[in-house]
Amino acid sequence: MGTPSMRFSESAEDPFALGRGASAVLDDQGTVVGWSARAQELLGYPAKEVIGRAWQDLLVDALDLPAARSVVVDAMRTGGWFGVLPVRHRDGRRVEMGFRARAITRGGDSREWVLVGAPAAEVDAWQRDRALLDGLYRRSPIGLVTYGPDRRVLRVNRAVEKASGVPAEAPVGHRPREFMVDEDAGPTDERVRHVLETGEPLIFTEQSARARHDPGRERIVSVSAFRMEDPSGRVLGVAETIEDVTDRHRAQRRLALLNEASVRIGTSLDVTQTARELADVAVHGLADYCSVDLLKPVTLGDEPVPGGSGPLVRVALSPPEHRVPFKEGDVVTLLPESPQARSLYERRPILEGLLPLRPEWYAMDRRRIEIALGLGVHSLIAAPLVARGLVLGVVSLWRSRNSEPFEDDDAAVAQELSSRAAVSIDNARRFTQQQSAALTLQRSLLPRAASDLPAVEVACRYLPASGEPGIGGDWFDVIPLSGARVALVVGDVVGHGIHAAASMGRLRAAVRTLASLDLEPDEVVARLDDLVSLLATELEANTDGNGSAIEQMIGATCVYAVYDPVSRHCSLARAGHPAPVMTTPDGQVTVLDLPAGPPLGLGGLPFETCDLDVPEGSLLTLYTNGLLEARDGDIDVALERLHECLANSTAPLDSTCHAVVEALLPKEHPPTDDIALLIARTQVLPPQNVATWQLPLEATAAARARQLTTAKLTEWGLTELACTTELVASELVTNTYRYAAGPVTLRLIRTHCLICEVSDTSHTSPHLRRALSTDEGGRGLFLVAQLTERWGTRYSHDGKTVWTEQPLPHA
């Protein structure tokens, strides 16, 4: 294997070469018998003055003579000598010369000595260049590869041999594709071709350089290349210096992995999603497979058992692999001798560098053992997931057939990765716990959809917020009222979490209480506003400056509607809430023009009631603002879609609710705010089920009420209730005769129960009291309360109505 001709410096040519060096010939006694023109040029002696004279008398000073004789002795013993000696110039000055001496046998025992000399400076430079070239190939820690014009390897140095494990002679005469894997050989060959053709050098170009005989061993090199030319400019090939930067590359990759982990892990507050993010990050920079197994309580948002004991659930596996014995959702049972069990117990990473997968680590059946053995896994790191001193689970990093085994540095990265991920998983677990508690509280406070109401048919949807915001304070309610009427309520407490759910529960309870008083909608909303202001004041006094709960209460909104199936009359009022939508039987959809009113809690501002007549079969749709803001925030577009879904007033209500949710909520993104949707189809009581009479305010009014009641109940086939109802009507009319003024109205309504109502123009409130045995009166309302299931009083602008309800007899 030859060495290419490379010109390191102007003195790189051999100074002893023919035509460049000064030569002299000495006989065996040291007499000069030959002298070259170059010797005359360098030392000033012409041949006629030198030939025939002893060399030491001519060329060496007396002071240098001992050293010169020592050189002669060494040369005679070894047959040759090379070194630097001072000689005397013809003009008397000393000249440092490098000499190469060799003995030549002429015949018999006669010997002559051939001396070739050159200026010491040239010899030193030449020696340095030779030492440099020799060092590059024999002692340099940086690899060197030279290629010929045909892009075949001419020579490699020992650094390349040591790094690759391949003898230096092996790649000689071959192209990169013959000793490197195809993916890495292509760029290498193209780089050599580019330098050969253009002459442009390459500096510190990094690339993969995996050997064909060991493709699983990662090797990253930094390459610099230049074209080699002789003095005439003829291209001799390409020289490459190669530095192994695998360790540096791995260190950079590990740092990049940790940086990527800080960005990609913990993007949501979902335990499973966070575990999958951890697994995905790990397989893109550290492992071939990654599995994340969490203690079962962690997956449910509960506090794990101290010590990390208990069943594990495989939450994430990346990449998906059908050959893995345990899939996502499977319970993973570890045996004490497994690395994962040891990692959980010792709370530190366990590195298994070159051990095959041991089926006995797991409690597996024969089928799973056979599957596991086919994976070709040869290296494992098991790292515990620990946060706040709690063991949450374990992450297993695997490398298979074509990868290098894990190293200690990989275990350190795995520990850092698992520590960061554990914090995110624990945050997600704690959020899940809080969200579950809030959702449980909220669902316990929300009503079930009312059924079998004479006034309306109802369908509803409640969709809790998911993700970081958490559960909100939206609610709805359907409240049966006296006289077969019904109240429809939808409200929204701004904010999320336990505080919002608790505030919602307070408001819903207050609305039900106020609704039981049969107040007008504007008065209900006004009293609710007073209640919110009072609650905010109490919270402000008890929260030590923490205003989050106060802001939630002040941010509450509400819409309240009362529908009467007898008169088809609907009264509505709202406090800063989106206006309801009404769909008439002919398909016309209208946003009701209600006075907006301020949000609850501002105080001091009036609310107004809007009255309208609603055709039978109309749809009243009440909702919270999350419904319109869920998809893209464009409320006008959302309203248009809502109108399209509500246009068919005869469609089943459940289908309509489903269509609204599908149209307004994006499937790919769960809502970030709670959504409450309530749709009611209005109904009208048949006229034959309602009887109304005006009675004169005179002494015979009670008797007349008994007659009318008995006759109507007989007509309705409710003779079993006749005796009780005529007594109730008689007592209520008698009270009106005694304590009220103006005409008396008696009304009977037959629905799921029998309703008896007596109205007058007085606002005096009747009171139930217990009469003494000596009292002559005061027992009327007591009798009414005992004979009926429910009774009460409602007020209007024109007076009051006392009502009772009795269950109908079974058919």
Side-chain angles (χ1 to χ4, degrees):
M1 181 170 61
T3 302
S5 176
M6 293 182 290
R7 188 165 183 165
F8 291 94
S9 66
E10 291 298 328
S11 60
E13 297 182 21
D14 190 350
F16 301 118
L18 184 65
R20 286 182 58 86
S23 59
V25 180
L26 308 179
D27 62 14
D28 206 22
Q29 284 72 41
T31 303
V32 178
V33 295
W35 191 257
S36 69
R38 178 64 173 161
Q40 178 180 346
E41 179 183 344
L42 293 177
L43 298 178
Y45 295 100
K48 63 183 180 178
E49 295 182 12
V50 176
I51 294 176
R53 297 178 63 180
W55 66 275
Q56 63 268 30
D57 296 336
L58 179 67
L59 299 176
V60 182
D61 286 333
L63 294 176
D64 299 323
L65 187 58
R69 287 175 175 172
S70 176
V71 168
V72 171
V73 173
D74 290 341
M76 293 178 67
R77 184 176 67 251
T78 60
W81 179 85
F82 172 78
V84 177
L85 280 176
V87 297
R88 187 176 66 237
H89 194 273
R90 188 171 183 271
D91 59 12
R93 58 188 171 89
R94 287 162 56 93
V95 178
E96 296 285 338
M97 293 284 290
F99 288 99
R100 179 182 291 169
R102 184 175 298 277
I104 300 176
T105 303
R106 289 296 185 185
D109 295 332
S110 176
R111 289 192 307 175
E112 290 184 348
W113 294 87
V114 178
L115 276 71
V116 181
E122 293 184 12
V123 174
D124 288 343
W126 176 67
Q127 283 292 95
R128 285 194 298 270
D129 288 345
R130 284 180 58 84
L132 174 62
L133 188 61
D134 181 71
L136 286 175
Y137 279 100
R138 295 180 182 274
R139 288 177 290 277
S140 173
I142 298 177
L144 178 65
V145 180
T146 54
Y147 294 89
D150 58 355
R151 304 202 301 276
R152 296 181 183 274
V153 176
L154 296 177
R155 186 176 180 183
V156 300
N157 69 350
R158 291 184 178 177
V160 174
E161 178 183 8
K162 182 179 180 181
S164 64
V166 178
E169 298 79 12
V172 174
H174 300 284
R175 289 188 174 181
R177 293 188 182 277
E178 300 176 50
F179 55 86
M180 296 174 64
V181 298
D182 292 341
E183 294 85 350
D184 300 341
T188 299
D189 192 57
E190 176 61 25
R191 182 179 61 245
V192 174
R193 184 197 63 77
H194 177 80
V195 176
L196 273 173
E197 293 179 357
T198 66
E200 297 177 359
L202 297 178
I203 301 176
F204 302 134
T205 301
E206 291 191 4
Q207 76 158 75
S208 176
R210 291 167 294 171
R212 184 174 290 276
H213 74 280
D214 190 11
R217 181 186 177 191
E218 181 184 39
R219 185 165 177 252
I220 306 298
V221 296
S222 176
V223 180
S224 297
F226 61 92
R227 188 168 69 182
M228 300 184 297
E229 302 174 357
D230 64 10
S232 66
R234 183 169 62 94
V235 177
L236 302 177
V238 172
E240 288 185 341
T241 60
I242 300 174
E243 182 181 2
D244 192 334
V245 295
T246 305
D247 291 340
R248 184 181 71 190
H249 180 77
R250 288 176 177 173
Q252 292 174 343
R253 187 172 59 198
R254 289 167 182 145
L255 289 175
L257 175 66
L258 294 177
N259 181 65
E260 182 184 9
S262 64
V263 175
R264 293 182 54 189
I265 299 176
T267 60
S268 71
L269 288 173
D270 180 83
V271 172
T272 301
Q273 179 62 27
T274 304
R276 287 173 179 166
E277 291 168 350
L278 166 61
D280 290 341
V281 168
V283 297
H284 281 91
L286 190 59
D288 293 323
Y289 299 100
C290 177
S291 59
V292 181
D293 304 326
L294 299 179
L295 293 170
K296 191 171 184 179
V298 176
T299 63
L300 303 176
D302 297 333
E303 196 87 358
V305 177
S309 60
L312 291 167
V313 178
R314 178 142 297 174
V315 179
L317 175 65
S318 184
E321 172 58 69
H322 69 278
R323 296 177 296 171
V324 174
F326 297 99
K327 307 296 190 299
E328 290 184 1
D330 290 350
V331 175
V332 180
T333 304
L334 299 174
L335 298 182
E337 58 269 25
S338 68
Q340 289 87 347
R342 290 165 50 205
S343 176
L344 288 172
Y345 178 74
E346 300 176 14
R347 298 193 177 191
R348 68 178 181 88
I350 301 296
L351 171 63
E352 295 285 349
L354 291 173
L355 293 179
L357 177 65
R358 296 180 177 178
E360 63 268 20
W361 287 346
Y362 299 93
M364 296 191 297
D365 54 35
R366 175 54 56 183
R367 181 186 62 84
R368 290 188 175 186
I369 291 176
E370 292 174 354
I371 293 175
L373 291 175
L375 290 172
V377 172
H378 62 75
S379 192
L380 163 69
I381 295 177
L385 295 166
V386 182
R388 297 188 306 113
L390 296 175
V391 177
L392 308 177
V394 62
V395 54
S396 301
L397 306 173
W398 313 83
R399 283 186 178 172
S400 57
R401 293 186 178 89
N402 296 325
S403 299
E404 294 184 54
F406 286 115
E407 303 173 349
D408 290 339
D409 289 341
D410 295 321
V413 172
Q415 182 176 17
E416 180 67 21
L417 193 64
S418 62
S419 297
R420 295 187 183 188
V423 174
S424 297
I425 291 175
D426 188 55
N427 288 339
R429 178 196 65 80
R430 296 169 70 184
F431 172 77
T432 301
Q433 185 181 44
Q434 181 182 15
Q435 187 182 43
S436 177
L439 183 59
T440 301
L441 173 62
Q442 189 174 48
R443 291 196 182 280
S444 67
L445 295 174
L446 288 173
R448 296 181 178 272
S451 60
D452 194 25
L453 294 175
V456 291
E457 176 191 355
V458 176
C460 55
R461 290 290 187 277
Y462 172 74
L463 302 175
S466 60
E468 183 175 354
I471 301 301
D474 293 16
W475 92 93
F476 65 89
D477 209 345
V478 179
I479 308 172
L481 301 178
S482 64
R485 298 171 307 136
V486 65
L488 306 174
V489 191
V490 170
D492 182 4
V493 175
V494 177
H496 299 87
I498 295 288
H499 288 296
S503 299
M504 177 272 289
R506 287 183 171 187
L507 292 183
R508 177 173 174 264
V511 169
R512 277 194 163 260
T513 301
L514 294 172
S516 67
L517 300 177
D518 275 320
L519 302 177
E520 293 293 323
D522 59 341
E523 191 170 355
V524 170
V525 175
R527 294 194 182 186
L528 198 61
D529 179 64
D530 294 338
L531 174 63
V532 172
S533 299
L534 178 62
L535 291 176
T537 302
E538 293 178 356
L539 286 172
E540 186 175 9
N542 297 324
T543 53
D544 297 326
N546 181 7
S548 61
I550 302 172
E551 293 174 2
Q552 290 173 357
M553 292 299 298
I554 293 177
T557 64
C558 176
V559 60
Y560 182 85
V562 176
Y563 173 69
D564 187 344
V566 177
S567 62
R568 298 184 293 105
H569 184 76
C570 185
S571 300
L572 306 96
R574 62 175 174 144
H577 200 84
V581 176
M582 184 176 74
T583 306
T584 56
D586 59 2
Q588 183 177 357
V589 182
T590 307
V591 178
L592 298 180
D593 186 16
L594 303 183
L600 300 174
L602 294 184
L605 298 175
F607 298 93
E608 299 181 40
T609 294
C610 177
D611 298 313
L612 66 153
D613 291 328
V614 180
E616 181 180 5
S618 297
L619 300 184
L620 291 175
T621 303
L622 289 68
Y623 52 89
T624 55
N625 59 346
L627 183 68
L628 300 182
E629 298 171 356
R631 183 171 288 274
D632 51 20
D634 192 332
I635 295 180
D636 293 334
V637 173
L639 273 175
E640 183 177 349
R641 292 175 179 170
L642 178 62
H643 288 186
E644 293 174 357
C645 297
L646 298 175
N648 185 5
S649 62
T650 60
L653 290 187
D654 276 338
S655 300
T656 303
C657 279
H658 180 75
V660 170
V661 171
E662 288 289 315
L664 273 68
L665 270 67
K667 296 180 180 179
E668 61 276 10
H669 299 296
T672 57
D673 191 11
D674 284 21
I675 294 173
L677 173 65
L678 176 64
I679 303 178
R681 178 180 286 119
T682 61
Q683 300 176 148
V684 177
L685 293 183
Q688 61 270 24
N689 287 358
V690 181
T692 306
W693 302 279
Q694 292 285 340
L695 301 177
L697 195 60
E698 56 187 26
T700 60
R704 179 61 177 164
R706 289 193 295 271
Q707 295 173 358
L708 295 172
T709 298
T710 301
K712 179 54 68 174
L713 293 183
T714 301
E715 178 185 339
W716 285 346
L718 300 176
T719 54
E720 296 179 27
L721 300 177
C723 181
T724 302
T725 307
E726 71 173 21
L727 178 57
V728 169
S730 175
E731 289 296 332
L732 294 179
V733 171
T734 299
N735 283 344
T736 301
Y737 171 73
R738 289 180 178 178
Y739 305 110
V744 179
T745 302
L746 172 64
R747 184 167 72 168
L748 297 178
I749 302 174
R750 183 181 65 175
T751 60
H752 61 286
C753 63
L754 178 63
I755 301 172
C756 177
E757 297 181 345
V758 175
S759 305
D760 57 49
T761 59
S762 171
H763 289 85
T764 303
S765 176
H767 294 285
L768 178 67
R769 66 187 182 90
R770 185 179 298 275
L772 298 177
S773 59
T774 57
D775 292 341
E776 295 183 0
R779 298 177 178 84
L781 285 181
F782 180 78
L783 289 174
V784 169
Q786 297 300 312
L787 295 175
T788 60
E789 188 174 69
R790 297 174 61 220
W791 76 279
T793 305
R794 67 173 180 269
Y795 297 88
S796 64
H797 298 293
D798 300 328
K800 70 176 184 297
T801 300
V802 180
W803 54 268
T804 65
E805 291 183 1
Q806 301 174 73
L808 297 179
H810 295 290

